[in-house]
Amino acid sequence: AQTIHQWPVAEIKAVGSPLSLGCTIKGKSSPNLYWYWQATGGTLQQLFYSITVGQVESVVQLNLSASRPKDDQFILSTEKLLLSHSGFYLCAWSPGDTQYFGPGTRLLVL
Amino acid sequence: GDQVEQSPSALSLHEGTGSALRCNFTTTMRAVQWFRKNSRGSLINLFYLASGTKENGRLKSAFDSKERYSTLHIRDAQLEDSGTYFCAAESGTGGYKVVFGSGTRLLVSP
């Protein structure tokens, strides 16, 4: 069975500090991978997707970047956090149709 | 651009009754997925449809790409059905872009 993990579970960071969120999928080779973000009270927005290792497509610009260094790993990062980056980050994988979501990471930027 | 309008934003049902949630799309979408938010805030997959209808227990979903809408019907609602439901549509313009609805908060009461 496939499993998806996200780390950390939650994070409190200062404005201007760097951020790295991780997502790992086990039990599935060459999955499509996605990053989503939801501001408190807002609608879930797709940030990035990746179809293969080393390839990432940006969907919305939020001063964030993503990378896929391995087939089963998707990283979301920024060198300088903004207050507006606070929210809930979800990673998802798909074999090509249904998307399966990870448990999410809550980020609070102060 | 691609947008998803989900309605109603909130819905109250008595146990044993039913109703429908609806998502309208501003453009032609390739597929739709319905989710329910779990206690931690992540998403549990209910249905994925590229066309037609699917049924699972007391839930039934339909997707009409040409008419640009999808529905989620709940019948014989139970207390444990309470929660927030989302639709998400895959952009018909190709690629792997996904647009979420704003959610429906369902409350089932005795």
Side-chain angles (χ1 to χ4, degrees), chain A residues 9 32 34 36 38 43-44 46 49 51 59 88 90 96-99 101-106, chain B residues 33 35 37 39-45 47-48 86 90 94-102:
Chain A
V9 171
N32 298 335
Y34 306 83
Y36 294 88
Q38 184 176 31
T43 301
L44 204 60
Q46 187 183 23
Y49 65 87
I51 308 307
V59 179
F88 191 51
L90 281 168
D97 42 36
T98 304
Q99 291 202 20
F101 282 79
T105 295
R106 292 201 183 278
Chain B
Q33 195 164 356
F35 299 92
K37 186 187 278 193
S39 58
R40 199 185 172 277
S42 188
L43 300 176
I44 305 299
N45 172 59
F47 294 104
Y48 178 92
F86 294 92
E90 288 182 10
Y96 298 84
K97 295 185 180 180
V98 177
V99 185
F100 270 78
S102 54

Side-chain angles (χ1 to χ4, degrees), chain A residues 37-85:
Chain A
W37 168 74
Q38 184 176 31
T40 303
T43 301
L44 204 60
Q45 287 188 70
Q46 187 183 23
L47 299 176
F48 300 94
Y49 65 87
S50 171
I51 308 307
T52 189
V53 174
Q55 173 269 341
V56 176
E57 297 293 333
S58 172
V59 179
V60 296
Q61 290 297 326
L62 286 179
N63 292 307
L64 295 167
S65 60
S67 64
R68 186 170 178 176
K70 302 178 184 178
D71 186 52
D72 63 354
Q73 196 173 76
F74 207 17
I75 307 296
L76 185 70
S77 61
T78 183
E79 292 186 2
K80 251 184 174 182
L81 277 166
L82 307 173
L83 286 174
S84 57
H85 286 138

Side-chain angles (χ1 to χ4, degrees), chain B residues 8-51:
Chain B
S9 57
L11 178 64
S12 292
L13 293 176
H14 287 295
E15 269 187 302
T17 64
S19 189
L21 285 57
R22 185 178 176 104
C23 284
N24 292 325
F25 313 121
T26 56
T27 57
T28 300
M29 298 297 187
R30 193 168 54 183
V32 69
Q33 195 164 356
W34 284 91
F35 299 92
R36 177 179 170 174
K37 186 187 278 193
N38 68 12
S39 58
R40 199 185 172 277
S42 188
L43 300 176
I44 305 299
N45 172 59
L46 298 175
F47 294 104
Y48 178 92
L49 300 98
S51 66

